[in-house]
């Protein structure tokens, strides 16, 4: 068996470090895959399988994809559950001595996707880490595309069901877990059957407490766990440590994007188990899994991707704190009553791009000029938002106004540095504005003057030689040349140096042309290199303002959701609920928000509801099939849930005592969207 070629030795050395990934190995303008990776990729991506000499008797199976369109192919592999390791050339092949240095710059997994083309802008893309122990579990969720991190500790009692509820709530695309979790069979069954998530069984060493604690504190810049709100010995620590280890291995750069953590407990939000969320059809219908026909479909009038993700979060996590609910309702009431303010805010929000995910790509160093320009277009909307909010009165809107930074310095920097319509690539020039950097303008002057000099030489040589069709051209192989047709061969001067003979002409160079070529091409190479350096400086400056931009983005998202709630309330005739802690639910002329929306103008027959802790503690509802029993029960639950999210409700009046849980298991096959009961669905 022959010895492997130097390039193949390098390939195998890198592949050995990432055995469970498909290795995208950069060769010029392509990412190539070899051996088993090539066979898998050719099958899954429908690529032609070819071969390459590798120093052995048999050629190495090979297939490849163009690097500039690789996102598409990576997305398809990720969707099928594969992981992709991106191996880049770390030096310019033109100047490299021997084999070009290559290294892994990132591993793309289902839970660590950053690319907008591979993400649903309306949903978070979570990766979860679960550490199960004898006395309970620590569980955390991170969306690295937005920098959000949530963590909680679950008690030993009903542990398996609580883990299932949390995984069901966040729907992670990737789950890291320890061996102990697999001892809870119901959790394993749930992950396999109900979540389309990639699962990674981590070594126990990844969850060791002391190492995890140090990593946890360093990541968030603290010296004590209590500064993060975490108690010593908390099971959140090993869960978080394993997650950070995994992200460091896969992301390699950009870990500074994860700079805050939100700890939560079951007591902070209304308890909704998986069954309740499915039966209430909060974000999708039970039968068709579509947004249309869900509560989210009715309430979502948001204008930004950030708002679309946040409204989904609010619906999944209704509040149980009376003051926080009233704070949201006060803001919605102000926006509901002031139609001019609401319309102005919604108009300004319409142009705000996804600041959270744009900032992630900027911090990771993968954003191009177009993405920086998208960020500046979003920032340009902020002064208008702040002007519109100048006279707001409610506590939450006032607070959001203070949180919102106009970020005019960042906007000004991007607009002055980056051209209005930048090219897709950041390494080929044409990205920096004229006037931004004097030295670059001088180089560009040399380049444009050079083109004038070329035209001048062409005219000069035509006059000197008398050859009217003489022309000066350029190609990558020979550089600049003088082309003379064979019919004028006798008029060629002695100082012309022959460079190339073609069928109907010959090409020459002169000393003057060679010197000019060196000057023009040198200026072009220098300017391209300088443009990339300047662009990278701008990108790093913007990345350095992460906290300001992140805080502003979060405020914009909240404002967007509040405007959406107010708009829906105005359009559908919802009322403000009175919130209390007395355990009383009194609804007058209440309607089902989704069924009413689906009726599209036809009247919905309203119903009253009275529940309290005295004589009306329970209600037994009877009636024939398709009389509306399920609708009545669900509308009561949805109205309470809407109120505790901070939204107005479909009723003429509503008194709602805060509830800590909703349990429901209505007819398994009900299809409210088309007005069919379980009985009717089964009969059909």
């Amino acid at each position: 068996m022959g010895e492997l070629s130097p390039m193949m030795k390098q390939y195998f050395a890198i592949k050995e470090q990432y055995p469970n990934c498909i290795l995208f190995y950069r060769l010029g303008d392509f990412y190539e895959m070899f051996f088993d990776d090539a066979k898998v990729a050719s099958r899954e991506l429908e690529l032609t399988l070819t071969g390459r000499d590798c120093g052995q008797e048999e050629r190495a199976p090979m297939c490849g994809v163009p690097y500039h369109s690789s996102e598409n192919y990576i997305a398809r592999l990720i969707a099928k559950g594969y992981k992709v390791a991106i191996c880049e050339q770390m030096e310019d092949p033109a100047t490299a001595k021997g084999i070009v240095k290559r290294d892994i710059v990132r591993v793309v997994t289902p839970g660590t996707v950053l690319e907008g083309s591979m993400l649903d802008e309306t949903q978070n893309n979570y990766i979860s880490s679960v550490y199960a122990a004898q006395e309970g579990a620590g569980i955390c969720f991170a969306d690295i595309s937005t920098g959000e991190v949530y963590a909680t500790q679950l008690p030993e009692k009903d542990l398996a069901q609580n883990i299932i509820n949390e995984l069901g709530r966040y729907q992670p695309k990737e789950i890291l877990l320890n061996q102990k979790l697999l001892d809870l069979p119901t959790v394993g069954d749930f992950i396999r059957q109900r979540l389309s998530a990639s699962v990674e069984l981590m070594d126990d060493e990844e969850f060791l407490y002391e190492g995890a604690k140090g990593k946890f504190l360093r990541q968030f810049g603290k010296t004590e766990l209590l500064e993060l709100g975490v108690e010593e010995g908390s099971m959140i620590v090993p869960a978080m440590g394993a997650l950070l280890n995994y992200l460091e291995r896969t992301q390699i750069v950009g870990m500074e994007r994860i700079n805050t953590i939100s700890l939560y407990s079951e007591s902070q939000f209304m308890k909704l188990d998986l069954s309740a969320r499915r039966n209430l059809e909060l974000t999708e219908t039970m039968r068709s899994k579509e947004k249309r026909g869900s509560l989210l479909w009715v309430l979502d009038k948001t204008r930004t991707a950030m708002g679309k993700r946040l409204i989904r979060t609010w619906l999944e996590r209704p509040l149980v704190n009376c003051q926080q609910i009233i704070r949201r309702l006060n803001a919605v009431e102000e926006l509901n009553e002031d139609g001019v303010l609401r319309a102005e805010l919604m108009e300004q929000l319409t142009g705000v791009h996804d600041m959270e995910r744009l900032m992630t790509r900027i911090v990771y160093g993968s954003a191009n000029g177009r993405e920086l320009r998208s960020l500046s277009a979003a920032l340009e909307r902020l002064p208008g938002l702040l002007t519109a909010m100048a006279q707001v009165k409610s506590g939450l809107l006032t607070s959001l106004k203070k949180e919102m930074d106009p970020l005019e310095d960042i906007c000004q920097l991007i607009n002055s540095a980056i051209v209005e319509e930048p090219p897709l690539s950041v390494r080929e020039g044409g990205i920096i504005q004229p006037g931004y950097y004097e030295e670059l303008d001088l180089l560009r002057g040399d380049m444009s003057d050079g083109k004038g000099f070329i035209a001048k030489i062409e005219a000069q040589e035509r006059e000197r030689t008398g050859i009217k069709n003489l022309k000066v051209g350029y190609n990558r192989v020979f550089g600049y040349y003088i082309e003379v047709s064979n019919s004028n061969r006798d008029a060629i001067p002695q100082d012309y140096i022959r460079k190339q003979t073609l069928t109907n002409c010959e090409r020459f160079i002169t000393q003057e042309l060679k010197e000019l070529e060196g000057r023009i091409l040198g200026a072009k190479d220098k300017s391209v290199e300088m443009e990339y350096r300047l662009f990278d400086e701008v990108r790093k400056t913007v990345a350095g303002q992460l906290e300001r931009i992140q805080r502003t983005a979060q405020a914009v998202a909240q404002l967007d959701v509040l405007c959406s709630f107010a708009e829906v309330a105005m359009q559908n005739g919802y009322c403000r609920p009175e919130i209390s802690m007395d355990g009383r639910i009194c609804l007058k002329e209440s309607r089902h928000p989704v069924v009413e929306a689906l009726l599209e103008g036809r009247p919905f027959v309203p119903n009253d509801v009275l529940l309290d802790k005295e004589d009306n503690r329970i209600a037994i509802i009877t009636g024939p099939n398709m009389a509306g029993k399920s609708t009545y029960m669900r509308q009561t639950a949805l109205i309470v849930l809407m109120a505790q999210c901070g939204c107005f409700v479909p009723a003429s009046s509503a008194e709602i005592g805060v509830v800590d849980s909703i349990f429901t298991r209505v007819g398994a096959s009900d299809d409210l969207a088309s007005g069919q009961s379980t009985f009717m669905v089964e009969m059909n």
Side-chain angles (χ1 to χ4, degrees):
M1 187 181 281
E3 190 181 359
L4 286 169
S5 65
M7 192 204 79
M8 274 299 162
K9 284 181 180 174
Q10 183 191 58
Y11 170 84
F12 275 113
I14 294 168
K15 176 66 182 170
E16 203 175 307
Q17 300 170 50
Y18 297 89
N20 301 323
C21 301
I22 292 176
L23 181 60
F24 270 42
Y25 184 83
R26 182 74 177 267
L27 273 177
D29 288 341
F30 280 78
Y31 286 119
E32 303 289 3
M33 287 146 277
F34 299 102
F35 298 100
D36 289 345
D37 285 359
K39 291 174 185 175
V40 170
S42 70
R43 182 181 72 242
E44 299 287 10
L45 302 175
E46 299 168 355
L47 300 173
T48 304
L49 192 64
T50 61
R52 183 186 178 99
D53 290 331
C54 60
Q56 298 184 335
E57 284 180 32
E58 286 189 29
R59 286 160 64 81
M62 178 182 93
C63 67
V65 299
Y67 85 95
H68 53 79
S69 60
S70 60
E71 271 188 26
N72 240 348
Y73 296 101
I74 294 170
R76 285 164 65 187
L77 288 171
I78 296 300
K80 291 171 185 280
Y82 294 100
K83 298 178 182 180
V84 177
I86 312 291
C87 179
E88 288 288 358
Q89 295 172 165
M90 306 308 284
E91 57 183 344
D92 186 346
T95 58
K97 292 179 181 175
I99 195 84
V100 176
K101 285 180 188 165
R102 292 180 177 85
D103 207 349
I104 299 295
V105 294
R106 184 167 158 235
V107 179
V108 187
T109 72
T112 61
V113 174
L114 299 175
E115 291 72 16
S117 63
M118 294 158 65
L119 291 167
D120 179 347
E121 68 168 21
T122 68
Q123 294 188 44
N124 285 98
N125 189 68
Y126 289 113
I127 179 171
S128 174
S129 174
V130 188
Y131 172 70
Q134 200 64 44
E135 60 277 17
I139 186 166
C140 53
F141 300 90
D143 181 347
I144 68 164
S145 72
T146 63
E148 295 167 68
V149 181
Y150 302 99
T152 192
Q153 181 164 307
L154 302 172
E156 183 185 354
K157 187 184 177 188
D158 299 328
L159 182 60
Q161 189 55 48
N162 286 331
I163 291 173
I164 287 171
N165 287 340
E166 292 307 308
L167 292 175
R169 187 202 304 266
Y170 285 91
Q171 298 282 315
K173 291 288 186 288
E174 189 169 4
I175 303 170
L176 316 176
L177 45 84
N178 67 336
Q179 182 62 49
K180 178 73 177 170
L181 190 73
L182 296 180
D183 297 340
L184 302 170
T186 52
V187 177
D189 292 344
F190 170 76
I191 292 171
R192 278 190 296 275
Q193 295 165 18
R194 300 288 286 279
L195 290 180
S196 54
S198 167
V199 176
E200 187 91 9
L201 178 61
M202 308 286 278
D203 292 337
D204 287 343
E205 289 75 35
E206 302 269 6
F207 294 95
L208 289 176
Y209 186 86
E210 284 306 319
K213 177 183 171 182
K215 192 168 288 292
F216 191 11
L217 292 172
R218 284 192 299 277
Q219 181 64 39
F220 296 103
K222 305 295 182 188
T223 54
E224 297 290 337
L225 288 174
L226 285 175
E227 294 177 67
L228 291 164
V230 179
E231 292 184 9
E232 194 67 57
S234 168
M235 283 175 282
I236 289 171
V237 175
M240 198 68 211
L243 177 63
L244 293 172
N245 274 333
Y246 186 77
L247 292 179
E248 278 179 3
R249 284 200 302 274
T250 57
Q251 301 313 289
I252 299 163
V253 297
M255 287 295 288
E256 62 271 24
R257 180 67 176 99
I258 297 170
N259 58 2
T260 57
I261 182 169
S262 300
L263 301 178
Y264 68 96
S265 66
E266 285 183 304
S267 60
Q268 281 178 273
F269 304 106
M270 182 193 289
K271 188 173 180 181
L272 292 164
D273 65 16
L274 190 65
S275 174
R277 279 200 298 277
R278 284 181 64 248
N279 277 280
L280 292 175
E281 299 182 311
L282 298 183
T283 58
E284 63 182 21
T285 58
M286 283 176 70
R287 285 171 62 78
S288 61
K289 305 295 180 191
E290 293 176 347
K291 181 181 176 183
R292 179 182 164 82
S294 69
L295 182 63
L296 178 64
W297 170 68
V298 175
L299 299 182
D300 186 6
K301 304 288 182 196
T302 53
R303 302 299 177 93
T304 71
M306 300 172 292
K308 288 185 186 306
R309 290 193 295 272
L310 185 63
I311 194 170
R312 183 181 284 266
T313 301
W314 280 13
L315 291 185
E316 293 266 9
R317 300 166 74 180
L319 301 169
V320 293
N321 182 294
C322 205
Q323 280 72 37
Q324 289 177 0
I325 297 167
I326 291 168
R327 187 172 159 83
R328 283 187 191 173
L329 288 170
N330 288 342
V332 173
E333 183 172 45
E334 183 175 354
L335 292 167
N336 180 254
E337 290 177 352
D338 191 338
V340 174
L341 169 64
R342 185 177 70 253
E344 203 171 328
L345 290 175
M346 292 183 84
E347 186 185 339
Q348 290 294 335
L349 287 164
T350 304
V352 179
H353 297 291
D354 197 340
M355 292 160 64
E356 290 177 332
R357 285 185 170 163
L358 286 170
M359 276 309 294
T360 297
R361 288 182 59 76
I362 289 166
V363 169
Y364 276 76
S366 56
N368 60 22
R370 293 180 187 183
E371 287 166 317
L372 279 177
R373 267 290 181 174
S374 287
L375 180 65
S376 81
L379 302 186
E380 284 170 357
R381 292 288 188 171
L382 296 177
L385 277 174
L386 286 164
T387 301
M389 293 177 76
Q391 303 301 319
V392 294
K393 300 178 185 67
S394 64
L396 181 51
L397 291 180
T398 305
S399 171
L400 293 178
K401 183 177 71 173
K402 287 177 184 170
E403 288 288 300
M404 229 178 277
D405 187 324
L407 296 163
E408 286 161 334
D409 53 329
I410 303 298
C411 191
Q412 165 64 25
L413 170 67
I414 295 171
N415 290 347
S416 63
I418 311 298
V419 295
E420 277 186 37
E421 294 185 16
L424 205 56
S425 171
V426 297
R427 292 185 178 271
E428 292 173 16
I431 199 169
I432 300 295
Q433 289 268 31
Y436 178 70
Y437 193 68
E438 189 178 350
E439 198 177 327
L440 177 62
D441 290 343
L442 291 173
L443 282 173
R444 283 173 169 166
D446 275 356
M447 286 156 62
S448 57
D449 288 350
K451 286 169 189 168
F453 284 133
I454 293 295
K456 190 175 169 188
I457 287 174
E458 188 174 82
Q460 170 191 304
E461 291 303 310
R462 282 178 179 177
E463 190 176 335
R464 177 162 83 100
T465 61
I467 302 170
K468 298 301 178 194
N469 63 355
L470 175 150
K471 66 177 182 181
V472 177
Y474 171 82
N475 70 28
R476 286 190 168 192
V477 180
F478 296 109
Y480 286 98
Y481 56 80
I482 297 169
E483 187 172 284
V484 180
S485 63
N486 288 340
S487 58
N488 292 300
R489 192 181 293 171
D490 296 341
I492 293 168
Q494 292 288 321
D495 60 338
Y496 275 28
I497 304 161
R498 183 176 281 104
K499 199 73 182 167
Q500 188 184 21
T501 301
L502 302 176
T503 309
N504 57 353
C505 65
E506 292 198 75
R507 290 175 176 174
F508 303 87
I509 58 166
T510 64
Q511 190 58 36
E512 182 185 12
L513 194 59
K514 204 71 192 158
E515 286 170 7
L516 189 59
E517 178 188 318
R519 181 177 160 192
I520 293 170
L521 296 184
K524 179 167 179 53
D525 290 345
K526 275 185 194 168
S527 75
V528 167
E529 190 181 321
M530 189 178 289
E531 282 200 64
Y532 178 72
R533 179 172 56 77
L534 292 169
F535 171 76
D536 198 40
E537 284 173 8
V538 172
R539 189 166 59 187
K540 284 175 178 168
T541 302
V542 176
Q545 300 303 311
L546 172 62
E547 286 190 23
R548 286 172 67 198
I549 298 171
Q550 187 173 320
R551 194 169 58 244
T552 301
Q554 288 166 352
V556 168
Q558 287 187 64
L559 180 64
D560 195 12
V561 177
L562 294 168
C563 283
S564 179
F565 282 173
E567 181 74 5
V568 171
M570 185 277 296
Q571 287 179 0
N572 298 341
Y574 292 176
C575 74
R576 173 175 175 154
E578 294 301 318
I579 304 296
S580 69
M581 298 299 289
D582 64 6
R584 174 182 161 85
I585 296 174
C586 181
L587 309 177
K588 298 291 184 188
E589 298 182 280
S590 66
R591 292 116 51 201
H592 191 297
V594 181
V595 176
E596 180 181 54
L598 289 165
L599 289 172
E600 296 176 337
R602 286 175 291 152
F604 181 99
V605 179
N607 287 281
D608 295 348
V609 178
L610 177 60
L611 293 167
D612 57 34
K613 293 179 179 177
E614 307 299 330
D615 296 339
N616 302 294
R617 198 175 184 88
I618 190 167
I620 297 172
I621 304 157
T622 64
N625 290 317
M626 295 187 64
K629 300 185 297 297
S630 296
T631 302
Y632 180 68
M633 287 190 288
R634 280 181 179 162
Q635 81 186 39
T636 305
L638 287 176
I639 285 171
V640 170
L641 186 143
M642 287 168 67
Q644 290 185 217
C645 289
C647 184
F648 283 21
V649 299
S652 60
S653 71
E655 296 172 42
I656 291 169
V658 172
V659 308
D660 60 3
S661 309
I662 291 177
F663 301 96
T664 178
R665 198 176 301 273
V666 185
S669 305
D670 266 14
D671 189 355
L672 290 187
S674 61
Q676 295 185 344
S677 68
T678 300
F679 175 76
M680 190 56 141
V681 170
E682 287 168 358
M683 289 300 287
N684 285 335

